[in-house]
Amino acid sequence: MKKWSQLLRALPFLAPNLAGFLVFTLGAVVVSFYLSLTEWDLLTPPRFVGLANYASLLGWHRAETGWEPLDPEFWQACYNTLFMMLGIPPTMLGSFLLACALNQKLAGERIFRLVFFLPSIVAGVAVMLLWKWMFNADYGLINRALWTIFGVQGPTWLTSVAWAKPALMLMGFWTAVGGFNMMLYLAALQNVPKELYEAAEIDGAGRWSVLWHITWPMVTPTTFFILTMSIIGGFQSGFDAAYVMTGGGPARSTTTISYFIYNHAYELLNMGYAAAAAWVLFAVVFVFTLLNWRNARGRMQ
Amino acid sequence: MPKAPLPLVLVSLLLGLSSLLAPGCLRQEGGRQVVLRFASAEPNLEQIRVTRALVAEFERQNPDIRVEAEFGIAPRKILVQTAARVGPDIFLWWFDLQPLVNKGVAGDLAPLAAEAGFDWSVFHPYLVDYYRRGDAIHAFPVQLKTYALVYNRDLFDAAGEPYPDGTWTWDRYREVARRLTIKPARGPALQFGNGPFAQFRDYVVRAHGGDWFHRENGRYAPDTPENRRAVSLILALLRESSPRPEDIESFGGGSFSQAFLTGKVAMQIAPAWMMSIFTQSRGNWDVAPAPRPVEGPARVVFDDAGLVLNARTAHPEAAFKFLRFYAEASAMRDFAAGRNGLAARRDANEPFLSPTVPGLARYLDAAEAADTPIKPVLLDGDYNHLSTIVNNEFERLFPLGEIDEDEFFRRLERRLNTPASPIQRR
């Protein structure tokens, strides 16, 4: 009875947020699932097509030259997304090492922290346009530096199928390495009990041993959190940078799943198909997160 | 928690209520005036200025109608607004019209025109036919884009090459383009014979009498001799004498017209709308007729932009009044003076020719002979979806080089006939 009265009293306070969640989040999610079962071009009423969108996205058929996906662009977008996610481990490692460095008692440590954090608070489009010029094949800063310092003719970065993805990953590394991941690691490092380090010092452990046997295990929960969030973000990312810097090209080599969804929804007005792709993306993220969770739970214990 | 004084609460409520009611009061106040919303994707500043002046003049002549004009609106925004029933009453459209017809967005202008006694013959007839579906006419011709060959006289003089003229075939064009290309062993190229533009591939195919969406027995059959000839030529030009995307980015800021104006591009097939940019420059350039195919009949390609009357407008008569005003000779002459393409009205293009760059008249010659729209009308296919398939497959051919021309046509045929999603299959 008391619980009910508490709930009744809490309800008016919760209602605005709850209403917003039901209408703008849960409602949109449910509607998007329904739309994924339809063919809808915005202008005419949706037509129910069952699982046809999913079949087209995920289906394969036998062609003269062998088995081929029904929609090769979707699979290419999946490949591009996974490829770009290869940037997650180096970024995490970079953030961890940077946090270790900034955790030392240095003169001006606050300034260093600010400087490394700056890229993640600068407006994204501004950063992307800056990098776009830096990547310019003929006049960009990077190729000029490669030529002047090493005598190497740099690649055509953003207009090369082979280099466009690494270029975006490089920019992503620069933006993310000193960002929130570094701050999380920094917070985690400051929570590692000093006694452990003192004990290690008495035992004669070297720096590498301390790092590997004390620091790294003690920040595992943070690593797990960052990894989970990075994987979720990685699957959903890639749109803004590709939109501004490459338009998803060259030859769709930077079209990620989120860009694919955007193209179908707003360029081709293929809403049902875009919704189906979004649900496939959700399923993939869900499975990965679940696996990651199970794997990490054991390790953390 | 301290209690708010009652007068303060009442004043707040009153303010809240009045803010809700105010827009309604304003609407009522202006109730005598019809408000038309006009949207255009046009980003060209000169053209925006010209259109704003037209709108102001229309409002002066029709004080009962106010036109709210928006420019630089993405076409998908127009469609999304229309879907949400807050779309513009009239909009300028240079994309594929057929989906708007199929989805009941592009209203039929024929009955309104008949009622007003409007004479369609003031326009180039093929433009009106392009918008005609049976007895209905779904857009109002405004802008005509023909194509001609723009060339840099300085680069021709330096190489001792004679200027292009009306006798040129595409083979000759390719040869000269190759000779005018200067690529050092390393580092950026210094000069390019051929400057592409966004629709270059489609233009060459259509100019050869080709059609990516050619059909036989109800199936897409793109592997035609015309398409083959066009694809071979496109590949040769792209490989031998054209700037790469990074070159265009480097010296043209990503703009094909700016790339030509830097003086590094010797020749470029340029649509008429580029003259709004070229005529502002001091470059030593001129215009020649576009080359002809070596084999088969020469096609004269055109592109369009028309004003669409939103079928969901609440003010069709007022909107048609605006369209009709747009078609008057004086308004169309103002349009032609902006050189953002030719005016759709045949008798309004003298301002396009001045100040005099002698070759500008080639665009008018092309307008008289035009017979092939760059975007073919696909009554039962979606041009945008199918074009995406063509683009994706062509990229495998160039620049990826994953497939050869035979495989390109095989794959293209297969994918056009078995597109992925249900909406593409429709």
Side-chain angles (χ1 to χ4, degrees), chain A residues 54-111:
Chain A
Y54 291 95
S56 296
L57 269 174
L58 305 171
W60 288 62
H61 70 121
R62 188 187 279 279
E64 291 155 19
T65 49
W67 286 92
E68 273 189 4
L70 281 171
D71 190 349
E73 276 84 46
F74 175 70
W75 292 102
Q76 186 178 3
C78 292
Y79 166 76
N80 292 340
T81 308
L82 289 172
F83 189 99
M84 301 252 227
M85 284 169 67
L86 293 177
I88 292 174
T91 308
M92 284 177 65
L93 185 65
S95 297
F96 173 69
L97 294 177
L98 206 54
C100 288
L102 293 177
N103 198 32
Q104 310 298 313
K105 296 281 173 221
L106 297 169
E109 63 179 80
R110 280 165 193 259
I111 291 171

Side-chain angles (χ1 to χ4, degrees), chain A residues 8 16 27 35 59 61 95 130 161 163 173 202 220 250 258-259 268 272 296:
Chain A
L8 275 176
L35 287 177
H61 70 121
S95 297
L130 192 76
V161 174
W163 283 99
F173 180 85
I202 291 164
T220 302
S258 53
Y259 204 114
L268 300 169

Side-chain angles (χ1 to χ4, degrees), chain A residues 170-191:
Chain A
L170 187 63
M171 187 194 72
F173 180 85
W174 178 83
T175 313
V177 74
F180 289 99
N181 293 352
M182 183 198 75
M183 297 303 279
L184 289 168
Y185 271 127
L186 205 52
L189 287 173
Q190 287 170 359
N191 283 330

Side-chain angles (χ1 to χ4, degrees), chain B residues 175-359:
Chain B
E175 267 171 47
V176 176
R178 202 165 37 198
R179 283 203 293 272
L180 289 172
T181 301
I182 304 172
K183 286 183 184 171
R186 64 185 311 163
L190 302 175
Q191 187 176 305
F192 304 92
N194 171 58
F197 66 104
Q199 290 170 296
F200 177 68
R201 214 167 48 205
D202 293 337
Y203 171 80
V204 174
V205 166
R206 298 298 277 159
H208 279 74
D211 181 357
W212 296 120
F213 313 113
H214 173 72
R215 295 185 93 159
E216 278 172 20
N217 304 321
R219 281 177 61 81
Y220 291 103
D223 194 354
T224 63
E226 293 84 3
N227 286 348
R228 284 248 171 197
R229 281 197 286 273
V231 166
S232 297
L233 174 70
I234 294 164
L235 285 175
L237 288 169
L238 290 176
R239 285 171 182 153
E240 295 167 0
S241 55
S242 305
R244 304 161 303 165
E246 54 267 34
D247 297 319
I248 301 277
E249 195 68 52
S250 291
F251 63 83
S255 153
F256 296 109
S257 49
Q258 292 300 334
F260 178 81
L261 290 175
T262 58
K264 284 189 171 187
V265 174
M267 294 185 284
Q268 173 163 5
I269 298 292
W273 66 260
M274 278 193 187
M275 295 307 108
S276 61
I277 300 161
F278 286 10
T279 49
Q280 305 289 319
S281 81
R282 292 181 181 177
N284 186 17
W285 55 272
D286 204 348
V287 186
R292 290 178 295 108
V294 180
E295 290 177 60
R299 302 283 185 192
V300 182
V301 182
F302 71 90
D303 199 3
D304 71 296
L307 285 172
V308 175
L309 175 73
N310 195 327
R312 297 170 189 183
T313 178
H315 314 292
E317 286 82 14
F320 187 77
K321 218 173 190 179
F322 180 70
L323 297 184
R324 198 175 167 175
F325 173 81
Y326 223 111
E328 282 171 17
S330 60
M332 282 269 165
R333 266 196 285 274
D334 287 345
F335 175 85
R339 288 183 209 84
N340 192 31
L342 300 167
R345 192 172 164 128
R346 302 176 84 156
D347 59 0
N349 276 311
E350 312 90 81
F352 181 88
L353 298 176
S354 57
T356 50
V357 174

Side-chain angles (χ1 to χ4, degrees), chain B residues 41-112:
Chain B
E42 182 61 66
N44 180 300
L45 288 178
E46 173 62 9
Q47 200 52 45
I48 290 172
R49 190 194 61 75
V50 168
T51 312
R52 280 197 196 286
L54 289 177
V55 165
E57 178 57 22
F58 174 76
E59 286 179 335
R60 199 186 60 75
Q61 291 181 22
N62 299 275
D64 56 331
I65 304 174
R66 187 158 61 86
V67 180
E68 286 177 356
E70 283 181 282
F71 298 94
I73 303 290
R76 56 188 170 273
K77 185 174 174 185
I78 293 174
L79 294 180
V80 172
Q81 285 181 337
T82 300
R85 310 220 168 244
V86 289
D89 302 280
I90 312 155
F91 51 91
L92 187 68
W93 195 253
W94 60 77
F95 314 94
D96 185 28
L97 183 68
Q98 194 58 36
L100 302 189
V101 175
N102 293 345
K103 290 161 192 169
V105 175
D108 179 10
L109 298 168
L112 291 164

